Amino acid sequence: MPQDPMDFEWSYWIEWGREHILWLLAGHLLVSQVSRLLVEKYKPWCLMVYGMVACWSLLGIKGFAVILSHATISFAVAQFRLSLLTWLCSLILLSTLRIPAVEEAKRKWYDTENEYYLLLFTVSVRCLFCTSFSLEYCWHGPAQKSSHSFPWMLAYVFYYPMFHNGPLMNFDEFSKQMRRQEAFSLKTNLSILIVGIIRIFFWWCLAELMIHLMYIHALYSSAPPLEAASYWALGGLALAQVLFFYVKYLVLYGVPALLLQMDGLKPPALPCCVSLMHSFTKMWRSFDVGLHRFLVRYIYVPMGGSQSSLLGTLFSTALTFAFVSYWHGGQSYLWYWGALNWLGVIVENGVKRILSISLVQDLI
């Protein structure tokens, strides 16, 4: 039975995974385990070199040069230790991905659109990693210079399991865990690997069944079936779509999370089942945990967050969702999506504040 071809993200990453990325991840796993066994002290640098080689082999020398230049520029700007300047640099680098002339020039580097999109997705994710390192550099004093050096930035930016599509891990977490040297047990790691592969294979089979049997995205791409459907059917389609999105990211984030475990790191938690969520706030906290930690640490809290006035909280939340919308591409529908999510979070928090008033609690 043919599969639903309308979910671009799933088809795209599965195709790249089968042809290239899974093999490169297997190479990373081999280098990681050998370096942990023989040269634990130099593991970050072994993995950095492997990530650079993998990037070069998949994106070519020009793609590699783009990512290296982004890291170099970000590091140079971070030397001023000004958070605002670092953010300005990050937004400018991110905006270069949307300049038509630059897009056309990059397209000419590759034979297919899929190769260009791989560079686009990779650079978008690398922008977050460069931002995380640069802000941590701004916030830490000269005494911690050795742990925030340019080689450590490259080890972070070119760490291959999280290279193309995430998940995101902030630099402070990455560096602390990567520096920690633990007792290495090949037997324990092998059992983790086998159990992890079985789980991911089960999720992948479930996602493939859904995309071959349910045709959720094909239905959404055509207006007549939606107009003819009842409200109950539309609700079922919406639930089916978000459930597929959840299973899809169990696979897309599950593979790198397993490799992080094999490297002795603690990956961000995998997405929670959307059927268990009943609030916008929980959705943002529990679905993409790495992105949530990034947004809270580098945007929401520095702008005041929940500790500021009501207007300050509204502004810091709005700024957070504005960045999410812009990072995802900045198209008009993404701004609407971000605004609706912001409104949902604000309404929830407003209701919680009202319910916390002692008079209202007494009435209840």
Side-chain angles (χ1 to χ4, degrees), residues 74-82 86 133-134 137-138 145 148:
S74 297
F75 185 78
V77 172
Q79 302 306 301
F80 293 97
R81 297 186 182 275
L82 297 172
T86 291
F133 175 90
S134 299
Y137 187 95
C138 292
K145 186 177 179 181
H148 293 77

Side-chain angles (χ1 to χ4, degrees), residues 182-235:
E182 297 178 336
F184 177 75
S185 171
L186 191 60
K187 184 180 178 181
T188 303
N189 264 21
L190 189 60
S191 64
I192 292 172
L193 180 64
I194 292 170
V195 172
I197 288 174
I198 292 170
R199 291 175 67 193
I200 293 166
F201 181 72
F202 171 76
W203 296 330
W204 174 78
C205 289
L206 183 57
E208 285 291 317
L209 277 173
M210 293 175 78
I211 211 164
H212 276 85
L213 299 176
M214 298 179 73
Y215 294 90
I216 312 157
H217 303 89
L219 286 169
Y220 270 111
S221 64
S222 179
L226 297 178
E227 291 171 351
S230 67
Y231 290 127
W232 281 105
L234 290 173

